[in-house]
Amino acid sequence: MTVDEIIEVLQYPDGIFPREEITEAVARQEEITPKLLEILKDVIKNPRSLIEDEDYWGHIFAMFLLAQFREQRACPLIVEFFSNPDEKFLDTTGDVLTEDLPRLLGSVCDGDTSWIEELVENDSANEFSRAGALGAFQCLFVNGIKSREEVVEYYRSLFNKLERKPSYIWGNLILQSVEIYATELYPEIKKVFDDDLEQENVIDLEYTDKLFSEGEEKRLAEIRKSRQNRFIGNVIEEMENWFSFKEEPVNQPYLKPTLPSFFDFEDVNDGTPFIAPPKVGKNEPCPCGSGLKFKKCCGT
């Protein structure tokens, strides 16, 4: 199998997880890394082509493989990719934006957070991109790359540096500060609430106080076991169970479950088949019909 053949399958896996090709890519890391970097450069340069090609997966596999390789050259490219404010462009990453961006950036930055800081502080970038970049600092702390003091001091600088207008980043900054038990930032946190800058319902003052009251040991234990704070490891283990690659029957009817009699429903178990509702990705339209994305509506 040639490198070009591997790349072709990674770009268009056709719904089948490319285990063999990923195994080959890892075995030939030095040879395939330039090709993976080129994939990211191409999609950044031609965002419209990525938006229009719904079957394309090259950028996702490139990001995850480069993260497994701890390839520092990928850091500015991933930052540039997620700095694009076009939601349709970012939607091509599916749940990677909201679930894996902190891990991706933490895996490829090699402790140099200058690129990540640019994304966090970029007022024109997507709010979830900025939040994901901010989460990379917690990831770096959990993995022993940054000290707690270094992370807290960067958070402190953001309280003084970010534009003081309501935005999602404020709530996320408070949440990150609480999770790392930065009680020394409480005056800054309180000021954000006083100025009504946290309007996205990410966290409120009462919940902030509750989490702080649980103590440092519990807070740090929670973030250390969080999946979002683990560097990207084996790509096969990371991705092979993604819903996109599962061959599950679509619209498979099944019987209603038997419910206890106290529910007092008529014909609860009458054998009538019904269709299971489809799973909804966080970046897909909410099935309730609100017009919002699932992550901003019923998926919150």
Side-chain angles (χ1 to χ4, degrees), residues 201-214:
N201 297 319
V202 176
I203 190 170
D204 58 25
L205 185 57
E206 181 180 359
Y207 193 55
T208 296
D209 292 338
K210 177 184 181 297
L211 292 179
F212 272 144
S213 72
E214 293 175 348

Side-chain angles (χ1 to χ4, degrees), residues 127 166-171 197-203 296:
E127 58 187 3
S167 69
Y168 181 76
I169 195 66
W170 283 113
L197 300 176
E198 205 302 272
Q199 297 182 352
E200 299 291 329
N201 297 319
V202 176
I203 190 170
K296 291 187 178 181

